Amino acid sequence: MRYSGLLVLFLVAVLNLAGWAYMNRPIEPRPWGEVMNGVDYTPFRGDQDPRNNKFPSEAEIEQDMQLLAGQVKQIRTYSMLDGQSEIAKIAGRYGLDVMQGTWLDGRLERNEQEIEALVQAARTHGNIRRVLVGNETLLRADMPIQDLVQYIRRVRTELADRHIEVSTAETWDIWLRYPQLGREVDFIAIHLLPYWEGQAPDKAVEYALSRYQQVKDAYPTKKVVITEIGWPSEGRIRRDALPSPTTQAAFLRGFLNIANQRGLDYFIQEAFDQPWKRNIEGSVGAYWGVYNADRTPKFPMVGPVSDRPHWPQLAAASILLALPLMAWFLARWSDLRFSGRFFFIALIQIVTSALVMVVDSGLRTYMSPGIALMWAMLLPLLLLLFMVVLAEGLELSEVIWASRRQRHFLPFKTDIERAWPKISIHIPAYNEPPEMLKKTLDALARLDYQNYEVLVIDNNTKDEAVWRPVEEYCRQLGDKFRFFHVAPLQGFKAGALNFALRNTAKDVEIIGVIDADYLVEPDWLKSLVPYFDRADIGFVQAPQDHYDWKNDTFKEFINWEYAGFFQIGMVQRNERDAIIQHGTMTLVRRSAIEHVGPWAEWCICEDAEMGLRLLAGGWHSIYTDRRFGYGLTPDTFSGYKSQRFRWAYGAVQIIKRHWRDMLPGDERKLDPMQRYHFVTGWMPWFADALGLVFAIASLAWTVGVLVMPKYFELPLALFLLPVVAVFGAKLAQFLWLYKIRVPCTLRQRLGAGLAGLALTYTIAKAMLFGLFTSKLPFIRTPKHEDQAAFVQALIMAQEEVLLAALLVLAGIGMWNFQGGEDPEARLWAIVMWAQSVPYWASLVLAAISTAPKPPSKEAAPAQATPVVAPVVTSAPAQGTPAQ
């Protein structure tokens, strides 16, 4: 087994390395080993930003000139202000010519300062051979052409005696649109940036040169200078334009070789990355540099180029990060078949590699406050999704590839001769229909067990017509049945159960709890009580099941949704003695309750909380997947939701009270696997809560992207794809496990999946409420509610429908306004639509719950005729107080 584990590790490590190598396979464009003609230069670094008055020092500019000297012949600048007035002087020290630029816009006073400083610098520094009056001024529509022409004429006049060439920089199409502008300049300064025009990287150089030729043909007597040409290394995809280090290297090295052959006059856009530009041009605006913002080169000009040249280190880091979890898994799950261990080890490696890739992308990202906020929101979601994937992948591995079940408990034979301990069966009831409760009592009267009592605790029911018939029926059933009506009684169901404990016969050894609607099988007690012969067994649990779902599509679907928990989740938890106790069909050792304390009246899931305390108190549990009782399903979607809300809210209450029990430590009795199952069992519910937060944030973020695109950017695809992938993986896993463990049809599996999705919002809401509140009133699951009209379906799912509609509209808006240019915008729209699916599922299930139903053909499991004892007036059992 040890050698097979090492083989699994070896195979997964090899495949991981192969995957990293494939994703980062290098390209080798034509090499470039000569000096570039020119680069565009903006001096800002890191967090420097002219809008915040953070300017580079002269020492920093000089460091840049030292770096560029010998690499380029000349530089082109954009402004005479914002700390850039000394660039020409410093460049001259290193033999660099300067095409000095000015920035013109609608700020007339600032324009005047730019022009005056330009003229003075051009007359002062001999290395300024050409000047540019404005940059893309007409493209941005910052001023009419006649005003720009006036500025150009003024500069030409003031520099006429210096023989300095004067022009303005615009994109190629502006020059074609305004031929009168060409008559005012000494040369044509064009920008060729095929990325912004959505060109594919392999065709971008050819496209740029065709536009160059088009402008040159339009101005045959003028020299055409390419004052901006380049490709970004990161940012959003724009139609076919993919920014990356390899596409940038291929574009630049390809263009430089052609430009050298043709003798073109050009300036590469740009020398250094400018992080401050992302709020002007979007994320891509920060990544046009040949060098990073820290002045390190992005790629070599000779030899192969990779998007992640450090991928071997990243691959090694992903293996080392995964190794402890892999070793833990192999040590704990040595009983899994080879294919199961390989599957989960590979899943661990995929998740850790994805995490390393995300972190690496973050480290390469220039973080603006908005981007930092986006990462702060999305990274926790991603981590939780990864944990959910691993937890569900482990469950899948155990179900499919376990060699055998370690703790498989079958019912005992009921015909054995032995001493049977006394059992007290407690039935808490509040405002329950009398006829329903009578059926429950009838089933208990048919138990094939002699030494037991039944306590019905009706708490706080106000209508005497509801509880009086039950009281009378208990008298008819005999002295084993006792009825208590208690009002007022605090503590909800837990309060009723604690009242029952105080009124239990002294000689009772085992406490049984069932819901008021449950019909138990006659062999329930004899089949399970013998497990208490083991002195360390604290409780024995049988599954819940239902009998009223046939001929009712809504109840059929939710019945099979429940079944998944009892036939998959509980079975796997039982393997590690970590089951969740639930408040019906449970048998608890009385001394165990006395050891850990009574039912928790502060918690609305007192059953699960009791089970946790019993396990933490050193007791053990037994779970059998044999059904011994059947109850009623909720009649409506609102009842179904309120029940699940109570379970989820109670889970948070338990976590907040018992979080220390989930931490490792010798002073606690939960073992590591029990802690694992309690944590991972609730993790998908927290994922639903975070998903709801993400959905609401997505709506707000989409509005920001559409209304204020300069300040809001779409999340990276690395964040978006896992959201969609996990959604699909959870659905596939759900259907796969159901097919193996739950004996239902494909239609019923799909219906169960629909029911589970429909609860996503309810669970998320309950988890969030639970995190921020400490007490919520007990929410009773309604029984036998009247059928609702279709309009009631809309009311029952109104919050979900509103959220779903908003997500769909936001996706449509994103697709229509940005999807044509940006594949990532289309991906974001798809993510929005995918997020709406669980909320639409709520409406579908609510509508199904209101659909007309044929008459029921089977109201309950077939059982013997109820046994009703003659009316006997007797005192309460000895040692118990009379009501």
Side-chain angles (χ1 to χ4, degrees):
M1 188 67 70
R2 187 183 336 146
Y3 294 125
S4 65
L6 292 175
L7 177 60
V8 168
L9 290 176
F10 175 76
L11 290 176
V12 169
V14 170
L15 290 174
N16 182 55
L17 289 171
W20 278 96
Y22 178 79
M23 289 187 295
N24 297 281
R25 55 194 184 279
I27 64 168
E28 191 161 357
R30 291 178 61 185
W32 171 260
E34 301 184 38
V35 177
M36 285 185 280
N37 181 70
V39 293
D40 299 319
Y41 175 66
T42 305
F44 300 101
R45 302 181 176 217
D47 61 348
Q48 293 173 353
D49 189 334
R51 297 166 305 168
N52 298 329
N53 295 319
K54 293 183 178 181
F55 307 126
S57 65
E58 289 191 22
E60 289 173 325
I61 294 174
E62 183 148 7
Q63 291 171 2
D64 290 344
M65 296 303 106
Q66 288 176 338
L67 178 61
L68 293 176
Q71 305 295 319
V72 302
K73 299 175 183 177
Q74 54 186 331
I75 61 173
R76 177 240 169 145
T77 66
Y78 288 85
S79 176
M80 291 300 304
L81 306 179
D82 299 334
Q84 302 180 65
S85 60
E86 301 300 314
I87 291 176
K89 180 182 70 174
I90 299 170
R93 299 175 192 160
Y94 297 92
L96 294 171
D97 286 342
V98 176
M99 179 183 285
Q100 185 66 57
T102 56
W103 190 270
L104 301 180
D105 52 32
R107 298 170 293 179
L108 299 181
E109 183 177 346
R110 182 182 173 90
N111 291 348
E112 193 64 27
Q113 294 172 359
E114 287 273 8
I115 295 298
E116 290 178 358
L118 172 67
V119 171
Q120 182 179 352
R123 300 185 72 84
T124 303
H125 305 298
N127 60 331
I128 298 179
R129 312 300 176 106
R130 294 176 288 193
V131 298
L132 295 172
V133 182
N135 179 73
E136 297 184 352
T137 310
L138 298 183
L139 179 67
R140 295 190 308 276
D142 281 346
M143 66 176 63
I145 186 172
Q146 55 269 28
D147 291 353
L148 178 60
V149 167
Q150 290 301 316
Y151 282 118
I152 294 171
R153 289 175 178 175
R154 174 181 168 186
V155 172
R156 291 185 73 186
T157 300
E158 296 194 30
L159 296 178
D161 61 329
R162 304 293 296 179
H163 304 291
I164 293 176
E165 296 180 334
V166 180
S167 186
T168 187
E170 292 287 352
T171 55
W172 62 269
D173 57 311
I174 295 294
W175 287 105
L176 295 179
R177 190 183 312 167
Y178 298 104
Q180 66 270 37
L181 183 63
R183 294 191 290 268
E184 302 291 338
V185 299
D186 298 316
F187 63 96
I188 308 298
I190 64 170
H191 291 174
L192 299 171
L193 301 171
Y195 162 82
W196 289 113
E197 298 181 63
Q199 297 299 308
D202 57 343
K203 299 178 180 178
V205 172
E206 178 185 352
Y207 175 83
L209 292 175
S210 70
R211 294 305 189 187
Y212 168 81
Q213 189 62 45
Q214 192 175 353
V215 174
K216 191 171 179 61
D217 292 342
Y219 297 95
T221 62
K222 300 271 187 178
K223 181 176 183 178
V224 178
V225 180
I226 304 172
T227 46
E228 279 188 11
I229 187 167
W231 194 267
S233 60
E234 299 286 348
R236 289 166 59 178
I237 300 171
R238 190 176 179 87
R239 292 204 300 272
D240 296 328
L242 172 66
S244 71
T246 51
T247 54
Q248 185 185 43
F251 178 88
L252 291 180
R253 283 163 60 167
F255 171 77
L256 288 170
N257 279 282
I258 294 175
N260 189 48
Q261 294 170 4
R262 299 187 184 181
L264 302 181
D265 196 349
Y266 63 86
F267 291 82
I268 296 297
Q269 170 70 8
E270 60 188 319
F272 306 107
D273 278 351
Q274 298 294 300
W276 66 277
K277 288 185 180 180
R278 69 181 310 142
N279 286 335
I280 299 174
E281 302 174 2
S283 60
V284 74
Y287 297 102
W288 290 85
V290 179
Y291 293 85
N292 293 305
D294 63 1
R295 276 46 184 174
T296 58
K298 290 184 178 179
F299 50 82
M301 286 294 185
V302 177
V305 180
S306 172
D307 284 340
R308 285 184 170 89
H310 54 300
W311 72 261
Q313 295 94 317
L314 296 177
S318 70
I319 293 173
L320 292 175
L321 182 63
L323 201 55
L325 186 57
M326 291 175 172
W328 174 78
F329 167 75
L330 290 174
R332 291 278 182 175
W333 277 271
S334 58
D335 58 318
L336 285 185
R337 294 194 292 271
F338 182 87
S339 52
R341 283 177 288 153
F342 179 82
F343 168 80
F344 192 69
I345 291 294
L347 184 62
I348 293 172
Q349 187 62 80
I350 291 170
V351 166
T352 51
S353 293
L355 185 60
V356 167
M357 192 175 298
V358 168
V359 171
D360 178 64
S361 297
L363 294 176
R364 296 192 302 167
T365 299
Y366 302 123
M367 292 279 189
S368 66
I371 295 301
L373 175 63
M374 182 175 69
W375 275 76
M377 286 169 38
L378 294 179
L379 195 55
L381 173 65
L382 193 64
L383 291 172
L384 185 57
L385 288 177
F386 283 156
M387 289 189 286
V388 170
V389 166
L390 289 175
E392 294 187 344
L394 181 55
E395 183 178 66
L396 188 68
S397 302
E398 285 193 297
V399 170
I400 297 173
W401 291 292
S403 300
R404 59 185 177 86
R405 287 170 62 177
Q406 303 295 315
R407 301 178 83 239
H408 188 199
F409 300 108
L410 299 174
F412 282 86
K413 293 182 178 180
T414 60
D415 56 353
I416 57 177
E417 293 293 332
R418 54 162 292 150
W420 295 100
K422 188 169 184 177
I423 298 174
S424 184
I425 301 171
H426 298 170
I427 308 174
Y430 167 71
N431 206 35
E432 302 290 357
E435 295 306 313
M436 179 192 77
L437 194 46
K438 287 179 183 180
K439 292 180 180 179
T440 299
L441 297 174
D442 286 340
L444 290 172
R446 288 190 293 268
L447 281 172
D448 181 20
Y449 200 90
Q450 296 302 314
N451 198 13
Y452 73 99
E453 67 173 7
V454 176
L455 275 63
V456 180
I457 302 89
D458 181 88
N459 61 304
N460 302 305
T461 299
K462 295 180 180 180
D463 188 353
E464 192 169 335
V466 172
W467 62 266
R468 281 293 184 189
V470 181
E471 180 184 42
E472 176 61 27
Y473 202 67
C474 285
R475 290 195 186 99
Q476 295 178 32
L477 288 172
D479 57 3
K480 285 184 179 180
F481 291 78
R482 290 188 288 151
F483 180 90
F484 301 86
H485 172 70
V486 191
L489 180 65
Q490 302 298 318
F492 306 106
K493 183 178 179 180
L497 291 173
N498 287 332
F499 180 89
L501 285 175
R502 294 192 295 269
N503 287 274
T504 296
K506 294 293 187 181
D507 55 344
V508 164
E509 298 180 36
I510 298 170
I511 305 296
V513 179
I514 65 170
D515 284 344
D517 61 333
Y518 253 70
L519 307 181
V520 300
E521 297 286 351
D523 61 343
W524 170 41
L525 298 181
K526 279 192 174 181
S527 298
L528 300 182
V529 164
Y531 279 113
F532 286 98
D533 291 347
R534 279 181 50 185
D536 60 348
I537 295 299
F539 65 103
V540 176
Q541 185 71 59
Q544 295 182 26
D545 208 338
H546 310 92
Y547 64 81
D548 64 333
W549 55 269
K550 294 185 178 180
N551 302 313
D552 186 323
T553 302
F554 167 70
K555 292 187 175 187
E556 179 184 11
F557 287 174
I558 67 173
N559 170 76
W560 290 110
E561 191 271 333
Y562 290 128
F565 172 74
F566 294 108
Q567 295 185 232
I568 300 172
M570 285 287 282
V571 170
Q572 295 311 123
R573 296 176 72 102
N574 183 57
E575 291 292 279
R576 311 297 172 183
D577 192 13
I579 66 171
I580 294 177
Q581 187 180 28
H582 36 97
T584 192
M585 303 307 299
T586 187
L587 298 171
V588 193
R589 189 185 297 272
R590 185 178 189 175
S591 59
I593 296 178
E594 293 169 349
H595 176 224
V596 302
W599 303 94
E601 297 182 16
W602 53 267
C603 182
I604 62 174
C605 280
E606 73 295 321
D607 42 9
E609 194 275 343
M610 171 67 80
L612 176 60
R613 279 192 288 126
L614 287 169
L615 294 173
W619 298 93
H620 296 282
S621 65
I622 297 289
Y623 178 75
T624 177
D625 51 7
R626 156 82 187 275
R627 269 75 175 144
F628 288 99
Y630 302 84
L632 297 174
T633 55
D635 290 316
T636 66
F637 182 55
S638 61
Y640 184 48
K641 289 203 304 179
S642 67
Q643 183 188 65
R644 197 58 56 93
F645 187 96
R646 175 169 59 85
W647 292 354
Y649 188 90
V652 183
Q653 285 183 310
I654 295 170
I655 293 168
K656 289 164 68 174
R657 178 66 68 96
H658 293 289
W659 63 270
R660 292 179 181 84
D661 290 320
M662 307 303 160
L663 302 177
D666 294 337
E667 73 279 5
R668 300 177 187 89
K669 298 289 183 68
L670 288 179
D671 65 36
M673 290 310 302
Q674 288 173 328
R675 295 190 188 105
Y676 165 81
H677 276 290
F678 275 104
V679 171
T680 58
W682 287 316
M683 196 180 296
W685 286 358
F686 279 109
D688 286 341
L690 201 52
L692 176 59
V693 173
F694 181 73
I696 295 172
S698 298
L699 289 171
W701 204 271
T702 301
V703 173
V705 171
L706 295 176
V707 177
M708 296 181 289
K710 290 184 178 180
Y711 302 98
F712 290 84
E713 300 176 16
L714 289 176
L716 299 174
L718 282 172
F719 281 117
L720 300 181
L721 289 174
V723 175
V724 179
V726 168
F727 175 78
K730 286 181 69 175
L731 185 60
Q733 184 246 19
F734 173 85
L735 294 174
W736 194 357
L737 289 184
Y738 258 66
K739 185 176 182 180
I740 294 172
R741 280 283 176 87
V742 184
C744 59
T745 65
L746 175 61
R747 172 182 173 275
Q748 289 167 339
R749 289 202 300 272
L750 294 174
L754 173 68
L757 279 178
L759 292 170
T760 301
Y761 176 79
T762 297
I763 292 171
K765 188 176 175 181
M767 301 301 281
L768 294 173
F769 268 72
L771 287 174
F772 298 107
T773 62
S774 59
K775 184 177 292 186
L776 200 69
F778 182 89
I779 303 175
R780 173 180 167 270
T781 304
K783 310 290 185 183
H784 287 303
E785 292 181 333
D786 292 335
Q787 286 283 69
F790 180 73
V791 68
Q792 287 295 326
L794 292 174
I795 294 173
M796 286 188 285
Q798 58 184 335
E799 294 179 26
E800 293 94 326
V801 169
L802 175 61
L803 187 55
L806 290 174
L807 287 167
V808 168
L809 290 174
I812 292 173
M814 182 61 67
W815 189 286
N816 288 340
F817 287 99
Q818 294 199 13
E821 293 285 330
D822 190 346
E824 290 184 354
R826 296 196 291 272
L827 175 60
W828 178 252
I830 293 171
V831 169
M832 300 289 281
W833 295 333
Q835 287 182 91
S836 74
V837 171
Y839 310 125
W840 287 124
S842 298
L843 177 61
V844 173
L845 193 64
I848 291 174
S849 76
T850 65
K853 302 170 180 63
S856 177
K857 296 180 180 179
E858 185 177 351
Q863 297 189 10
T865 303
V867 177
V868 180
V871 177
V872 177
T873 303
S874 62
Q878 187 175 0
T880 63
Q883 186 179 358

